[in-house]
Amino acid sequence: MDEAALRLAIGDLNAAYADCIDDDRLEEWPDFFVENCRYLITDRSSHEAGLRHGIIYAASRGMLADRVMAMRGANIFEPHRYRHLVGPARIDRVADGIAEARTNFFAVRIMHNGDSQLFATGRYLDRIDVAQTPFRFIERLVILDSQKIDTLLVIPL
Amino acid sequence: MDEAALRLAIGDLNAAYADCIDDDRLEEWPDFFVENCRYLITDRSSHEAGLRHGIIYAASRGMLADRVMAMRGANIFEPHRYRHLVGPARIDRVADGIAEARTNFFAVRIMHNGDSQLFATGRYLDRIDVAQTPFRFIERLVILDSQKIDTLLVIPL
Amino acid sequence: MDEAALRLAIGDLNAAYADCIDDDRLEEWPDFFVENCRYLITDRSSHEAGLRHGIIYAASRGMLADRVMAMRGANIFEPHRYRHLVGPARIDRVADGIAEARTNFFAVRIMHNGDSQLFATGRYLDRIDVAQTPFRFIERLVILDSQKIDTLLVIPL
């Protein structure tokens, strides 16, 4: 696969990921990750300080599925949706079937009553298994620009 | 035309469409549509409920032109502009010279006094005539994320 | 270099430029420009009126470097960062090794206390030296949509 095709495919992965969340098909979300994955939402300062835990953390696909189930079932929260706008993926490195990429994003949150606001901005730092299709995230770090995290962060980003 | 070229061309169509509106060249806007087109601005809930009418609706290129003329002439409203940011087009299907695509967008509204705000977010659901150039919209559904629609929705999205 | 490759390369230039600013690596920022460059931040009305000066203006790479040094040293301002989201580049013309392009952008400003807001929207109007790599800006005009410019415009856009 040449570089242009790889970019296109990673761009597709990012778009499909965002659609899955924005369309509230969260049960499909874990399938964007390999079994032994790492998913983390943190903020820039914490990330730069080398802290390895964050606001949302999962170390396996099972943990992602558990999170969705908990969200659907037990948690009580005001219904809302996101709308992502995702920039072009930048591929830093490809080796041994793993691509390292980073992508800027904006996420707007739309509340059930119609209020909407720019909720989060930041960057995805990804390690992606590109040795087989469909591509899957080995690691997706969601680095939020702001450390002022809304308490209503239940849906993944 | 291979898939990469088709994506590029649909991306160009989306960008030219947004530029036309953002640059206030609205008289050129109907030309992005085929003669027997359908243009609709609605919200996600109404769309999912299968309602076929919306906030702005046109069933032909002539109706689009009428709308622009009405806006320029009779309507009184506070002058403003938009700035679109449009994500990558996702092509769901191509058959019989028609491409079905969907594209996320954010639109900022800039008032004459300089105030600006994120005005609308949502998704374009498109059916595009790709059998001839320039490509034109057979159908463009503008699905807004929020049902809380500003009364000042006069410029198309 | 064919058109698709040129677009990809200009898209990369835009992304690298935004990353440089968003990552606060401003000392590297002048290197995105040729020696005899022109950099200007202005607003749409002023630009359309043909005014050639703006809020921030530099007529050489040295002036850009001076600006960064002044910002780092003498100026006192509340620490903040930007996050850009940049649309696809549209190439209007390529001749004599110079590409003319325009690109929409949104910039969010994140204050040190975590407050963030959509700070600026607008369009880059660029003349780019594409005769040699890396590509560099001969001219980058940052045309803001709003004339209501925040006083806190110290970091380049």
Side-chain angles (χ1 to χ4, degrees), chain C residues 20 23 25 42 45 60 84 96 98 102 104 140-141 155:
Chain C
C20 171
D23 291 345
R25 292 179 280 107
T42 188
S45 307
S60 70
H84 284 77
D96 305 324
I98 297 176
R102 65 209 141 92
N104 289 353
R140 166 151 272 199
L141 308 182
I155 301 177

Side-chain angles (χ1 to χ4, degrees), chain A residues 8 12 15-16 19 22-23 81 83-86 106 108 110-116 118, chain B residues 4 7 44 48 85-88 90 102 104-106 118 121-123 143 145-148:
Chain A
L8 213 57
D12 282 348
D19 275 358
D22 294 355
D23 291 346
R81 290 279 191 99
R83 174 67 58 199
H84 284 78
L85 208 58
V86 175
F106 284 11
V108 165
I110 304 101
M111 304 307 295
H112 193 65
N113 69 359
D115 287 341
S116 57
L118 186 59
Chain B
R7 278 166 178 248
R44 188 172 59 75
E48 290 176 357
L85 208 59
V86 175
R90 307 195 65 205
R102 66 207 141 94
N104 288 354
F105 70 88
F106 285 11
L118 186 60
T121 65
R123 183 178 281 170
I143 312 296
D145 288 321
S146 171
Q147 80 282 14
K148 188 181 269 183

Side-chain angles (χ1 to χ4, degrees), chain B residues 21-133:
Chain B
I21 293 173
D22 294 354
D23 290 346
D24 194 30
R25 293 180 279 106
L26 295 178
E27 283 71 14
E28 301 171 25
W29 172 65
D31 199 43
F32 285 95
F33 294 84
V34 300
E35 189 59 47
N36 290 307
C37 63
R38 182 161 175 258
Y39 175 78
L40 175 67
I41 302 182
T42 189
D43 67 276
R44 188 172 59 75
S45 306
S46 301
H47 177 67
E48 290 176 357
L51 305 179
R52 285 181 59 84
H53 289 265
I55 306 152
I56 295 184
Y57 177 78
S60 70
R61 197 197 280 168
M63 283 178 69
L64 297 173
D66 286 350
R67 178 159 191 97
V68 172
M69 204 180 301
M71 204 192 84
R72 294 294 196 201
N75 291 354
I76 291 163
F77 64 91
E78 199 183 345
H80 59 278
R81 291 281 191 95
Y82 294 155
R83 173 68 58 199
H84 285 77
L85 208 59
V86 175
R90 307 195 65 205
I91 302 171
D92 290 321
R93 191 162 173 271
V94 185
D96 304 323
I98 297 175
E100 297 182 11
R102 66 207 141 94
T103 305
N104 288 354
F105 70 88
F106 285 11
V108 165
R109 187 177 62 192
I110 304 101
M111 304 308 295
H112 193 64
N113 69 358
D115 286 341
S116 57
Q117 65 167 359
L118 186 60
F119 171 58
T121 65
R123 183 178 281 170
Y124 293 121
L125 298 183
D126 299 317
R127 298 201 318 129
I128 305 167
D129 177 358
V130 297
Q132 48 204 321
T133 54

Side-chain angles (χ1 to χ4, degrees), chain A residues 4-5 9 17 50 71 89 92 102 118 147:
Chain A
Y17 178 99
M71 205 192 84
D92 290 320
R102 65 206 143 93
L118 186 59
Q147 80 282 14

